[in-house]
Amino acid sequence: MKLQITRCLLFAGILATAWNCSESSATQDSASSNTSSLQIPQNIVVSEPSYFYQLGSNYYVIAPTTMTVSDGSGKVIGTFNTSTGAIMSLSGEIIAINLDLSKMPVVAPAAPTKTLIAVDLDS
């Protein structure tokens, strides 16, 4: 009798483990597909190709040469720590952690749509 109960519990444990492993893979796939379908707002302006990160309704742009972090309007709000993958505000608060730059979309500098002409008004 004890052997049958032990077998049933062992089988139930194996099924639960297999069920949990298959669910975590599906969750990871849906999270990566959400990142790739992320729409970058058109009003973000950068001077160099920069990484884009969205947390809720807040947008963050990470400049790769200086590792400064700006908000959606271009105001510098903090820095990015490459060893921890953390965005830290200027006051030292952690905004986000464990970020992987290689998985973030890149915002490219926008080229002017019209030809600009410089005019010297002093002459």
Side-chain angles (χ1 to χ4, degrees):
M1 183 71 175
K2 289 182 183 181
L3 185 60
Q4 289 178 346
I5 293 174
T6 305
R7 284 185 187 169
C8 288
L9 290 176
L10 181 63
F11 184 68
I14 291 171
L15 283 177
T17 302
W19 182 272
N20 286 334
C21 289
S22 65
E23 271 188 26
S24 64
S25 297
T27 304
Q28 289 175 355
D29 290 342
S30 66
S32 64
S33 66
N34 288 342
T35 303
S36 63
S37 66
L38 181 66
Q39 294 295 322
I40 299 173
Q42 296 296 320
N43 62 346
I44 293 181
V45 178
V46 294
S47 60
E48 64 180 321
S50 302
Y51 299 102
F52 178 80
Y53 178 68
Q54 181 176 0
L55 181 63
S57 61
N58 297 325
Y59 303 120
Y60 300 101
V61 178
I62 303 168
T65 55
T66 60
M67 289 301 163
T68 57
V69 180
S70 304
D71 61 5
S73 63
K75 178 183 173 189
V76 175
I77 56 106
T79 59
F80 182 77
N81 185 328
T82 55
S83 62
T84 61
I87 295 176
M88 295 190 67
S89 70
L90 294 175
S91 62
E93 297 175 19
I94 295 176
I95 297 172
I97 195 163
N98 293 330
L99 301 178
D100 185 1
L101 292 179
S102 67
K103 295 182 180 177
M104 290 184 187
V106 175
V107 179
T113 56
K114 295 184 179 183
T115 304
L116 301 176
I117 300 172
V119 178
D120 186 7
L121 299 176
D122 290 335
S123 56

